[in-house]
Amino acid sequence: DIGDVPWQWAQALGLPETQGDLLLKGALSVSLEDQLNVQARLERSRGRLLISAESSAAQPLDAGIQDAFAQLSIQGKDAQLQLQWNTERAGQLQALLQSRVDTTDPAGLWPAQAPVSGRVTARLPRIGAWSWLAPPGWRVQGSLDAAVDVSGTRGQPQWSGQLQADNLAAR
């Protein structure tokens, strides 16, 4: 188990700098008895993530995180990734993606020809709060609703669904 890791560690992965005192916790379990079995989970432990308001001059707002986690499950050749992001001010996102792994070749665990399937839904009522994900200097505003299904293979995914943006602007 991993406990109380500061969110700022994500900057080492190339994510933009954020404000707040958000802490994460996680767990990892790996077994190779009869078949590969991996259970990994990373979730919000406590604390706040501060986000930019629609007006860049306004003070950052608490995102109001209610639920946030990522969970990976591999049982044999079946892999599943589940993401959940539910906040008061920074929107909601749910994703469930499934694929197959090749446990016979550690170098090719995620082969390009592996089938993928899943669904991603997002409701981002104030995209301005997500400007921190845009390139430096960019400002984004508006709202976004999406319900997208993914199929095909990892190397050639096919996306279909609905995407609706209102008052979307980027500068």
Side-chain angles (χ1 to χ4, degrees):
D1 287 350
I2 302 167
D4 291 344
V5 176
W7 170 255
Q8 284 75 12
W9 69 268
Q11 293 172 29
L13 300 175
L15 291 177
E17 187 176 328
T18 59
Q19 297 178 24
D21 58 357
L22 181 64
L23 298 175
L24 305 172
K25 66 181 179 179
L28 175 64
S29 170
V30 179
S31 170
L32 296 170
E33 289 179 16
D34 295 333
Q35 64 181 5
L36 177 63
N37 186 356
V38 176
Q39 301 296 319
R41 183 174 175 97
L42 185 64
E43 63 187 309
R44 174 185 180 257
S45 171
R46 63 178 194 247
R48 302 175 307 143
L49 179 67
L50 301 180
I51 57 174
S52 299
E54 291 280 342
S55 164
S56 60
Q59 289 286 72
L61 301 171
D62 180 357
I65 298 173
Q66 297 166 332
D67 193 22
F69 71 84
Q71 183 169 311
L72 174 66
S73 174
I74 300 174
Q75 294 183 336
K77 294 186 178 208
D78 297 320
Q80 179 176 313
L81 176 64
Q82 183 178 6
L83 303 172
Q84 176 80 24
W85 173 261
N86 187 18
T87 70
E88 292 176 21
R89 293 176 201 86
Q92 296 82 36
L93 176 124
Q94 294 83 34
L96 181 61
L97 303 171
Q98 300 164 333
S99 188
R100 308 269 295 162
V101 295
D102 183 356
T103 57
T104 62
D105 180 11
L109 187 63
W110 303 98
Q113 70 275 15
V116 295
S117 64
R119 182 161 183 85
V120 177
T121 58
R123 176 175 220 122
L124 306 177
R126 294 168 51 162
I127 298 270
W130 292 91
S131 288
W132 64 275
L133 288 175
W138 283 52
R139 294 291 175 248
V140 183
Q141 64 186 33
S143 66
L144 176 73
D145 286 334
V148 181
D149 293 313
V150 63
S151 61
T153 64
R154 192 188 63 76
Q156 293 183 324
Q158 298 175 5
W159 299 87
S160 64
Q162 186 174 358
L163 180 68
Q164 179 180 341
D166 290 319
N167 298 316
L168 188 61
R171 59 181 191 278

